[in-house]
């Protein structure tokens, strides 16, 4: 029978009875004759608690030690789930990231998976074991433990599904799938039956929390269908897969929003070759990822440059930029940490005019001022005041008639 990789998130594994519930689900799948690999997250808020503990010890914990500490949350979960399965008289074995052969680069706290050595998992599967793997972690070539960035267990699951050639990867969480918008903001938001990899990647990158962007990226790269569904409520979920509904009439599939946006504006920047490199190189070296960049048309060889970063990176980014201010000779640096992003996403928007203007009209009718605009082939994003984000999301959901079945 086919191999299935399942992943259970932290809210699905908070208390002992949750472990028993998940164990019964996994056991049922096994009884149907499937080979099963289960990836688990840390229980409930464990990762935040461990992080808080580290910060109580020191404001800047050593990143190698922090990764080792945070990786323990997932180990607790995988041991408990293996016990719960054994209690149901199922053969199960728990594996840490190291034991499961998850290899990463050395970028502590945001490591990337460089490869998976599947030997141990394959041997355990052959012996008839259900294999439980601690998500979110791997090891470097020096055998140092790394973590993959917050929410990284999704990425572990899809990477394993790709390497083990699983038929599909199932991500179980506390929501019933991918919605047209966050249902806490738009009560009439609809669950999508399916969504394309690119669309999911854009929604996730621009704020939808239901699947980690790097998991969507791996799905796209290796063409691994990903089912996102609820651990608690039986239902069809949402299948993230290839080329669905490209020609659907309603070409906007979903609205994403993100409140984690800060804007930095450099005023009076001399407009000459090399300036952008001088500013953005040190930001990259400081590991700060810059999202939107806008340079105004220059007047008398002087221009304004605006870009956005995550709020958590604002102080660090300001320090880096201030240092360059004298060297490059720009007038002033302004920061704004009260912004948010709203995005419309859909592959069908490609080459179809009118989506941008409809979006801007809807936002203007809702009294939402647009600070910056960026686009990709399948997405249009507006940066707006953070406080206006809920209003903006509702206006766009309505304007693109996303509550109607497509
Ligand atoms: N436990 C980690 C976190 O909370 C990884 C995960 O849940 O996927 O970010
Ligand atoms: Mg988590």
């Amino acid at each position: 029978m086919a191999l299935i990789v399942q992943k259970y998130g932290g809210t699905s594994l908070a208390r002992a009875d949750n472990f028993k519930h998940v164990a019964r689900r996994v056991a049922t799948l096994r009884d149907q004759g499937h080979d099963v690999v289960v990836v688990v997250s840390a229980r409930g808020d464990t990762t935040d608690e461990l992080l808080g503990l580290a910060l109580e010890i020191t404001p800047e914990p050593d990143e190698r030690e922090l990764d080792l500490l945070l990786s323990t949350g997932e180990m607790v979960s995988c041991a408990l789930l293996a016990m719960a399965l054994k209690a149901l008289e199922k053969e199960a074995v728990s594996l840490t990231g190291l034991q499961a052969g998850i290899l990463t680069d050395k970028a502590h706290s945001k490591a990337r998976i460089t490869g998976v050595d599947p030997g141990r998992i394959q041997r355990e599967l052959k012996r008839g074991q259900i294999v439980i793997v601690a998500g979110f972690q791997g090891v470097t070539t020096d055998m140092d433990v790394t973590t993959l960035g917050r929410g990284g267990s999704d990425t572990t699951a899809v990477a394993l599904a790709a390497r083990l050639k699983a038929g599909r990867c199932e991500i179980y969480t506390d929501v019933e799938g991918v919605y047209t918008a966050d249902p806490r903001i738009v009560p009439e938001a609809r669950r999508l039956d399916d969504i394309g990899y690119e669309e999911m990647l854009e929604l996730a990158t621009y704020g939808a929390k239901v699947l980690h962007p790097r998991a969507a990226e791996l799905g796209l790269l290796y063409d691994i269908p990903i089912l996102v569904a609820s651990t608690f409520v039986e239902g069809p979920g949402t299948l993230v897969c290839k080329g669905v509904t490209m020609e659907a009439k309603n070409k906007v599939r979903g609205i994403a929003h993100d409140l984690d946006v800060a804007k930095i504006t450099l005023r009076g920047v001399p407009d000459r070759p090399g300036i952008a490199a001088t500013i953005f190189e040190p930001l990259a070296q400081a590991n700060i990822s810059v999202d939107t960049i806008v340079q105004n048309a220059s007047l008398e060889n002087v221009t304004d440059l605006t870009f956005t970063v995550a709020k958590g990176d604002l102080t660090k980014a300001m320090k880096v930029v201030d240092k360059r201010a004298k060297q490059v000779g720009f007038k002033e640096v302004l920061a704004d940490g009260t912004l948010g992003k709203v995005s419309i996403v859909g592959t069908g928007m490609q080459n179809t005019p009118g989506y941008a203007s409809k979006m801007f009209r809807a936002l203007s009718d809702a009294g939402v001022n647009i600070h910056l605009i960026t686009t990709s082939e399948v997405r249009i994003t507006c940066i707006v005041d953070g406080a206006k984000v809920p209003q903006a999301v509702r206006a766009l959901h309505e304007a693109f008639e996303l509550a109607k079945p497509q």
Side-chain angles (χ1 to χ4, degrees):
M1 276 296 244
L3 168 68
I4 294 180
V5 175
Q6 292 194 327
K7 180 250 166 181
Y8 290 90
T11 46
S12 308
L13 300 169
R15 297 177 316 269
D17 56 328
N18 297 141
F19 280 88
K20 293 181 186 173
H21 173 70
V22 169
R24 282 193 296 274
R25 294 182 51 118
V26 172
T28 308
L29 196 65
R30 179 81 188 119
D31 289 344
Q32 288 163 2
H34 296 285
D35 281 339
V36 188
V37 173
V38 183
V39 174
V40 289
S41 288
R43 300 169 53 226
D45 297 327
T46 304
T47 310
D48 287 324
E49 285 161 17
L50 290 169
L51 190 59
L53 194 55
L55 293 174
E56 273 181 51
I57 305 260
T58 164
E60 280 178 45
D62 178 87
E63 49 181 20
R64 178 186 180 278
E65 307 311 330
L66 187 61
D67 268 359
L68 185 61
L69 177 75
L70 296 190
S71 71
T72 62
E74 272 67 13
M75 294 186 203
V76 170
S77 292
C78 74
L80 288 173
L81 185 57
M83 284 177 204
L85 278 159
K86 287 180 205 218
L88 296 176
E89 290 174 1
K90 296 290 160 198
E91 304 218 37
V93 60
S94 64
L95 299 177
T96 65
L98 166 72
Q99 293 171 313
I102 312 280
L103 308 170
T104 75
D105 61 19
K106 296 180 178 170
H108 282 289
S109 83
K110 44 171 127 1
R112 283 192 162 256
I113 297 177
T114 51
V116 178
D117 176 357
R120 176 74 187 267
I121 296 183
Q122 281 167 342
R123 280 198 302 281
E124 298 294 352
L125 288 173
K126 239 192 210 133
R127 287 175 50 218
Q129 303 281 325
I130 298 169
V131 181
I132 320 290
V133 178
F136 176 57
Q137 57 186 269
V139 282
T140 67
T141 45
D142 295 333
M143 292 289 165
D144 278 331
V145 173
T146 51
T147 64
L148 309 179
R150 297 306 304 270
S153 298
D154 291 351
T155 309
T156 307
V158 182
L160 283 177
R163 186 67 180 88
L164 299 167
K165 300 198 163 51
R168 71 175 182 189
C169 183
E170 302 176 346
I171 305 276
Y172 289 101
T173 174
D174 53 357
V175 293
E176 286 176 56
V178 180
Y179 280 71
T180 49
D182 185 338
R184 285 168 299 186
I185 294 184
V186 186
E188 58 281 6
R190 239 172 2 90
R191 181 187 53 77
L192 295 164
D193 288 329
D194 53 33
I195 186 161
Y197 293 121
E198 293 95 338
E199 293 169 325
M200 190 64 238
L201 178 57
E202 296 274 358
L203 283 175
T205 307
Y206 284 82
K209 297 281 185 293
V210 56
L211 185 68
H212 196 276
R214 269 163 58 198
E217 193 182 13
L218 284 179
L220 170 68
L221 227 55
Y222 294 97
D223 191 11
I224 303 290
I226 305 169
L227 179 77
V228 180
S230 164
T231 308
F232 307 103
V233 185
E234 284 299 323
T238 300
L239 189 65
V240 184
C241 55
K242 196 154 72 182
V244 282
T245 49
M246 284 276 277
E247 302 294 334
K249 263 204 227 114
N250 193 339
K251 292 165 181 169
V252 173
R253 309 263 3 250
I255 317 275
H257 74 278
D258 187 357
L259 288 169
D260 188 13
V261 187
K263 175 174 91 167
I264 296 178
T265 302
L266 313 180
R267 304 278 303 273
V269 181
D271 191 7
R272 53 169 198 263
I275 289 293
T278 314
I279 294 164
F280 292 112
E281 269 163 8
L283 286 168
Q285 275 154 18
N287 233 325
I288 297 170
S289 73
V290 172
D291 185 41
T292 310
I293 303 175
V294 181
Q295 182 181 328
N296 289 349
S298 68
L299 263 179
E300 287 162 8
N301 290 330
V302 176
T303 185
D304 291 347
L305 199 69
T306 301
F307 59 91
T308 62
V309 297
K311 275 184 190 159
D313 282 339
L314 180 58
T315 319
K316 200 160 134 197
M318 286 294 283
K319 262 195 210 151
V320 172
V321 171
D322 273 334
K323 227 173 155 185
R324 293 284 149 157
K326 278 194 210 92
Q327 198 182 334
V328 178
F330 42 77
K331 279 204 201 85
E332 58 179 340
V333 184
L334 306 170
D336 186 347
T338 61
L339 300 173
K341 276 181 232 175
V342 283
S343 306
I344 59 172
V345 172
T347 30
M349 288 173 8
Q350 238 160 320
N351 307 322
T352 316
Y355 283 88
S357 56
K358 191 167 179 178
M359 179 177 194
F360 305 153
R361 171 58 59 205
L363 291 177
S364 123
D365 288 349
V368 178
N369 184 34
I370 302 169
H371 294 265
L372 295 172
I373 301 161
T374 64
T375 64
S376 78
E377 282 179 356
V378 303
R379 169 186 54 82
I380 305 171
T381 299
C382 293
I383 297 186
V384 303
D385 286 340
K388 298 261 176 155
V389 162
Q391 222 161 304
V393 173
R394 282 192 284 269
L396 294 172
H397 201 268
E398 169 104 43
F400 290 99
E401 299 176 31
L402 291 176
K404 274 197 206 155
Q406 288 169 21

